[in-house]
Amino acid sequence: MSRHTNPAELNNLELDSWVDITQQFFETAKNVKHGNIVKLESLDLMEGTDAKEILNPALDTGLIEDESYDCDRDLTLDETVRVVANITSCLVTWLDSSSLPVTLFSCRYIEEILTRFSALLSSSTIVEKIFQVSNLQYSNKLDQSDSFTYRILRAYLIGVLNFTAFVLNIPVLKDEEDLNRVSMDLNIDLLLQFPQKDVADLVNSAYSLLEKRDDKNSKVLQLYFDILKRLQMLYPLSASVNQGDFQDTLFLHEATGFIDKLSEENDYIDSIPQIPHLFTRGIQKRKNNIFPPRPIKMHSFTICISYLHYLFDDLKLAMDVLCFQDAADLRNRLYIFGSKRNEKLPDQEHTSTHIVAALFLESILLRDGLILGAIPVSEFLKQDLSSLTAGESVVLSLLEDDKLTNDRAIKARASSLLQEMEKTYISWIQSFLQNPSKQRDFFLDSVVVWDTIQVTADDLETSLPDDYGLEDTFKSIQPDGSLSELPVMPLSSYVYYMKLDSMVQVVFRGIELEIYKPWEMYQMYWYGLYLLSTLESHIARMKDVAKYKLSKAEGESKDIWKKTLDHINFLIQETIVFKTLAQAQQYTWTILDNLKLLKLPKYNRTTPQLLYQLRMKPFSSVGIPQLPSIQHFQNFADEIAEGSLRFRTERERVQDICFRCSSAVRQLTTEVKTAASQLKKIHPSRGRFKADYERGVDQILRSSIGVAVFSTKVNKKIKDAEFVTQCLKENPSNQAYDVSLSRAQYHRFFRLRRLNI
């Protein structure tokens, strides 16, 4: 029978027309040797693949043992606590990149509820009646019994499923990328049709029953309900775009307190036995499942507590982001939100902000293509331009002031340019709301786009003086001491800044994600330092413009340029901190390279030139800054080596290079400390965001200390002639040392190297 057989045709078949071929099949199968593949013209490729899955425990869902569980059995209050605790663990496990069939849907109660709800709604049953006991017939105990435990359990399960449906229907959710929503035809979205008030009333009613009791189990269940009720408070907020609504985070702080209290019940909850066959893989066999059998996933109680803290802490951060004051403030808050890592979570080295918090923030921040559903992105882009480079830009004024020119052609060019910038600006905002890998992808895609926009911006702004008589200049002191008048070109300057920043993000986020192997790190830190130096030079030019404009400004305009200058001073100080530490890192990799500890893989057959081109391919199409060739990198290495040519032996030359690099590292790490201290003082954020930013700066300082300590230890080893000689041996089989990287407590862009001896 083909998988494509029409179900209607099957219903019309009479059993008398069927022939039993079971005996014939097994007799014929005896002649087929084990491991052979049977080929028939009538057997298509997909059916052949299915045949291979039969009787294979790893592929055949039919082999899943169908363990029975009686949903009508009497539950004790202890068992109710166990079910609620497991359901909560399944919820956080699903949100931790798992799937519904192996988490929430593995619970027999959940399966029965969804199966019955789907049947009721498909037969046009009124939604509200589902909450009437007489209409719930999927389980006599769950529906018709006044049992205290089942009233509690029913309320909690429906509350959790309702929250699950809420998450799955956040508008910006991307299937499979953000969350796995495979439901095996169990329509969980139906739960969203329930009036939220009815769900809340159901949960509150059960909570009231618990409040009247004073036993241990009821107190524990109250804590679970307290946490669930705080999750339900997100529902009305998700529909709001009023910033005032996001200032009250008391309910999130309350949830954190309840989680702390719940964590104290670890031993008690662990002492309650698991209920046999309540959580099984059976649903993968009974329902429409297109995937191989998979084991049930359920975090332990301790990990569940950690993830609940993770969820509510990041929701607080998301709501804080929504309370931004202007474009510059939003920029700083987004950087902190996108840079947050939860490395304390088990086996989660690259975990960013919680997926629910990120989806919640994105759905509100960019509502209907508008900032907070009200502010046009174009207006917000102009604010961001003003905070960095534009101030009173001539190009921006063209679109609003007909006194400058009535030329429709130039207005159309300016409008088209801003539209292209607006699209990329939206993508830039979205990049901070993704996981670390997707963040890097967003920045990588934006590099080429910003590069293209820069060409358009350059053409427009360079044509203004000659073609339209519109000039915008500033005076700057040149290196030779002369005073020159230069074009401001604010739009081009802004686009160039965004492009450089994106390129820096691509390089260093690649280091964070371990895209580069240890033997590639030397070149990537060298290129990252090149980009940071270019970025510093460009921000310095922006600073010169702001200072000049400030000196000429009056009244309200003076305040605008003063604010711009303060923002630029912060950016340049931040760049100096990163550049100085990157330079220190570069010297440590120079030491390792000269000790020949960064050798290519053993069976590498590719030239260094080709490897370099492949590694730098994402930047090869960028016009400015031009990608340095591998010869530039080699020249840098040769310049360092020139200072040691006076030594006769290779060992002595390497020792001298390493000594000089170690000395440079110590000096640079001292500079990092000074620059980081200044950075803390001028960071514009306050409150939660200032504390979060300062934690990031502290990680930079730890990385700096780690670099200095590593350099000191290697310096001591370098004094050992035998150690250096062993490192320099050409035969890879004699290599006694290798390099690994450590992440713990260090800044994600500047991880500590370890020399394994």
Side-chain angles (χ1 to χ4, degrees):
M1 189 188 317
S2 170
R3 67 167 66 197
H4 306 295
T5 303
N6 190 326
E9 296 176 1
L10 292 177
N11 293 332
N12 295 328
L13 290 175
E14 298 181 2
L15 292 179
D16 293 342
S17 65
W18 291 70
V19 177
D20 185 358
I21 63 168
T22 305
Q23 190 63 34
Q24 179 184 350
F25 173 79
F26 281 107
E27 288 294 331
T28 305
K30 289 180 181 179
N31 300 322
V32 180
K33 294 182 179 180
H34 179 69
N36 283 11
I37 297 177
V38 178
K39 298 180 180 179
L40 294 174
E41 291 184 5
S42 59
L43 194 66
D44 66 25
L45 177 61
M46 294 304 296
E47 289 171 333
T49 303
D50 286 349
K52 292 179 184 179
E53 297 175 1
I54 296 175
L55 300 182
N56 184 337
L59 299 173
D60 190 353
T61 54
L63 297 181
I64 294 176
E65 185 177 353
D66 203 353
E67 301 164 326
S68 62
Y69 179 80
D70 182 10
C71 288
D72 293 332
R73 65 183 291 272
D74 289 323
L75 283 180
T76 66
L77 204 51
D78 280 358
E79 289 176 321
T80 306
V81 173
R82 170 47 60 198
V83 178
V84 167
N86 285 359
I87 286 295
T88 307
S89 291
C90 283
L91 175 64
V92 299
T93 306
W94 168 60
L95 294 174
D96 182 29
S97 304
S98 193
S99 65
L100 288 168
V102 299
T103 53
L104 286 171
F105 289 3
S106 67
C107 175
R108 289 304 303 272
Y109 291 126
I110 294 285
E111 180 184 352
E112 293 293 331
I113 288 175
L114 290 177
T115 301
R116 184 56 183 164
F117 281 6
S118 298
L120 285 171
L121 291 176
S122 63
S123 60
S124 301
T125 301
I126 299 176
V127 173
E128 286 79 356
K129 288 186 178 180
I130 289 179
F131 286 95
Q132 298 177 10
V133 172
S134 60
N135 284 312
L136 290 177
Q137 300 174 1
Y138 49 82
S139 164
N140 290 331
K141 287 289 184 182
L142 278 175
D143 301 337
Q144 300 171 355
S145 173
D146 289 330
S147 164
F148 172 75
T149 56
Y150 274 94
R151 293 176 69 181
I152 299 300
L153 182 59
R154 177 177 58 194
Y156 195 79
L157 294 178
I158 291 177
V160 167
L161 286 173
N162 191 243
F163 175 72
T164 304
F166 163 74
V167 172
L168 288 173
N169 283 274
I170 295 177
V172 295
L173 175 70
K174 294 172 280 295
D175 288 355
E176 304 305 324
E177 291 184 21
D178 296 322
L179 281 173
N180 188 316
R181 59 178 301 151
V182 173
S183 59
M184 299 188 298
D185 292 342
L186 291 174
N187 193 351
I188 197 171
D189 293 344
L190 296 174
L191 289 166
L192 279 181
Q193 299 182 35
F194 302 160
Q196 294 296 340
K197 182 179 181 302
D198 289 347
V199 179
D201 288 346
L202 185 68
V203 172
N204 289 331
S205 176
Y207 185 79
S208 297
L209 294 175
L210 291 170
E211 284 185 310
K212 297 175 182 178
R213 300 172 64 100
D214 197 37
D215 57 280
K216 177 78 168 178
N217 287 319
S218 296
K219 295 298 182 184
V220 172
L221 287 169
Q222 277 188 62
L223 292 173
Y224 277 107
F225 271 85
D226 278 322
I227 296 169
L228 177 60
K229 288 170 66 177
R230 270 64 189 177
L231 287 175
Q232 291 178 322
M233 292 181 184
L234 292 174
Y235 302 167
L237 283 174
S238 67
S240 174
V241 291
N242 181 9
Q243 283 187 302
D245 293 340
F246 306 113
Q247 293 177 0
D248 183 8
T249 58
L250 177 61
F251 74 99
L252 297 176
H253 290 280
E254 290 175 342
T256 300
F258 293 130
I259 295 169
D260 287 335
K261 290 181 180 179
L262 185 60
S263 66
E264 297 172 2
E265 305 297 338
N266 184 10
D267 293 339
Y268 175 71
I269 293 177
D270 282 349
S271 69
I272 303 175
Q274 295 288 345
I275 303 174
H277 311 317
L278 175 55
F279 291 83
T280 72
R281 299 191 301 163
I283 190 172
Q284 300 179 51
K285 179 180 181 180
R286 289 185 292 272
K287 300 298 179 182
N288 183 18
N289 181 22
I290 61 174
F291 296 100
R294 288 169 292 178
I296 296 173
K297 293 184 178 180
M298 185 190 306
H299 286 325
S300 67
F301 177 81
T302 303
I303 296 178
C304 176
I305 292 295
S306 297
Y307 273 85
L308 286 173
H309 272 301
Y310 169 31
L311 168 59
F312 282 99
D313 285 348
D314 286 355
L315 283 171
K316 293 176 201 172
L317 185 60
M319 289 183 63
D320 286 341
V321 171
L322 291 169
C323 296
F324 62 87
Q325 297 176 0
D326 52 31
D329 188 32
L330 177 62
R331 170 183 286 272
N332 292 330
R333 294 183 184 220
L334 283 175
Y335 265 105
I336 292 172
F337 186 88
S339 301
K340 188 174 184 292
R341 300 291 181 266
N342 291 276
E343 297 179 351
K344 292 182 180 180
L345 294 174
D347 302 322
Q348 295 290 332
E349 287 191 342
H350 305 304
T351 302
S352 57
T353 44
H354 197 284
I355 181 62
V356 174
L359 293 173
F360 177 80
L361 174 56
E362 184 177 356
S363 66
I364 297 171
L365 183 60
L366 294 171
R367 177 74 53 83
D368 300 327
L370 302 171
I371 302 295
L372 292 178
I375 308 173
V377 176
S378 59
E379 293 301 317
F380 223 71
L381 173 60
K382 292 176 184 177
Q383 283 187 33
D384 199 43
L385 278 163
S386 296
S387 70
L388 283 173
T389 61
E392 299 169 340
S393 168
V394 171
V395 176
L396 295 181
S397 301
L398 280 174
L399 301 176
E400 302 169 357
D401 189 356
D402 289 336
K403 293 180 180 179
L404 290 176
T405 179
N406 288 318
D407 192 316
R408 292 186 177 182
I410 186 62
K411 286 179 177 289
R413 289 176 64 188
S415 178
S416 176
L417 172 61
L418 286 175
Q419 287 177 8
E420 289 301 313
M421 292 174 64
E422 181 182 334
K423 295 176 186 177
T424 315
Y425 183 70
I426 292 174
S427 179
W428 175 83
I429 291 176
Q430 291 173 326
S431 66
F432 296 101
L433 311 176
Q434 314 299 318
N435 62 53
S437 180
K438 289 283 292 180
Q439 285 182 18
R440 185 177 184 272
D441 289 343
F442 269 75
F443 283 118
L444 185 58
D445 292 340
S446 72
V447 168
V448 176
V449 180
W450 284 124
D451 191 54
T452 303
I453 294 175
Q454 186 182 354
V455 175
T456 306
D458 283 347
D459 289 344
L460 174 62
E461 292 185 312
T462 53
S463 67
L464 291 178
D466 295 336
D467 296 349
Y468 303 98
L470 300 173
E471 286 190 292
D472 188 9
T473 61
F474 74 104
K475 293 182 179 179
S476 175
I477 299 176
Q478 299 303 302
D480 60 1
S482 61
L483 190 65
S484 298
E485 189 169 359
L486 303 173
V488 174
M489 301 184 68
L491 293 188
S492 181
S493 181
Y494 175 85
V495 172
Y496 189 43
Y497 169 81
M498 295 293 282
K499 178 175 68 173
L500 284 173
D501 181 65
S502 296
M503 294 174 74
V504 169
Q505 296 293 332
V506 170
V507 171
F508 285 96
R509 288 175 190 271
I511 291 172
E512 175 193 6
L513 294 169
E514 301 179 22
I515 291 175
Y516 311 115
K517 300 297 182 183
W519 49 272
E520 297 177 296
M521 287 290 195
Y522 186 17
Q523 288 183 353
M524 295 317 299
Y525 272 113
W526 169 77
Y527 182 60
L529 179 60
Y530 166 75
L531 291 176
L532 285 169
S533 299
T534 306
L535 179 60
E536 182 187 13
S537 298
H538 181 60
I539 300 176
R541 182 186 187 278
M542 292 160 53
K543 182 177 179 179
D544 289 342
V545 172
K547 288 171 65 177
Y548 177 79
K549 293 290 186 179
L550 178 61
S551 67
K552 300 295 182 181
E554 296 180 356
E556 185 178 343
S557 178
K558 197 176 189 72
D559 294 333
I560 294 175
W561 280 110
K562 186 178 185 306
K563 190 174 182 180
T564 298
L565 184 59
D566 289 342
H567 191 198
I568 291 174
N569 282 331
F570 161 70
L571 292 177
I572 201 167
Q573 187 65 27
E574 185 179 54
T575 305
I576 289 172
V577 171
F578 278 91
K579 188 192 79 168
T580 308
L581 185 51
Q583 192 172 5
Q585 287 275 48
Q586 176 186 251
Y587 278 123
T588 59
W589 288 104
T590 302
I591 294 172
L592 296 173
D593 183 62
N594 278 275
L595 290 172
K596 299 188 186 255
L597 296 176
L598 302 178
K599 293 183 178 180
L600 293 173
K602 184 176 180 180
Y603 297 106
N604 173 64
R605 295 293 182 269
T606 308
T607 64
Q609 290 80 4
L610 181 57
L611 285 175
Y612 179 86
Q613 292 173 7
L614 293 173
R615 194 176 305 124
M616 300 299 184
K617 190 173 179 61
F619 313 104
S620 59
S621 62
V622 176
I624 300 173
Q626 188 175 10
L627 176 67
S629 68
I630 191 174
Q631 189 58 49
H632 286 87
F633 170 74
Q634 191 57 52
N635 291 342
F636 162 76
D638 291 342
E639 287 175 7
I640 295 178
E642 283 180 5
S644 303
L645 294 178
R646 65 183 184 278
F647 294 97
R648 298 179 58 185
T649 66
E650 182 183 14
R651 175 184 62 78
E652 290 176 320
R653 286 194 294 271
V654 169
Q655 284 179 307
D656 183 66
I657 291 172
C658 294
F659 287 144
R660 287 190 290 112
C661 288
S662 294
S663 177
V665 167
R666 289 193 295 274
Q667 176 62 33
L668 288 166
T669 52
T670 301
E671 294 176 13
V672 169
K673 183 178 179 180
T674 303
S677 299
Q678 180 63 22
L679 182 61
K680 281 186 177 183
K681 294 178 182 178
I682 65 173
H683 187 267
S685 297
R686 295 291 180 267
R688 164 73 187 270
F689 284 95
K690 187 170 183 65
D692 284 347
Y693 188 83
E694 287 181 349
R695 275 194 290 273
V697 176
D698 289 339
Q699 286 185 333
I700 288 177
L701 290 172
R702 279 196 292 271
S703 291
S704 176
I705 293 171
V707 170
V709 171
F710 173 82
S711 176
T712 300
K713 289 183 177 180
V714 172
N715 204 34
K716 291 179 180 178
K717 293 294 295 182
I718 293 170
K719 295 178 181 178
D720 181 358
E722 180 58 31
F723 167 78
V724 178
T725 301
Q726 182 68 24
C727 288
L728 296 177
K729 285 185 177 179
E730 291 296 331
N731 189 348
S733 63
N734 292 333
Q735 186 61 269
Y737 316 105
D738 62 78
V739 178
S740 64
L741 300 171
S742 174
R743 170 184 303 279
Q745 301 302 311
Y746 298 103
H747 193 279
R748 63 191 191 282
F749 293 166
F750 303 102
R751 295 184 298 157
L752 181 65
R753 288 142 311 284
R754 286 180 178 171
L755 188 60
N756 304 316
I757 300 176

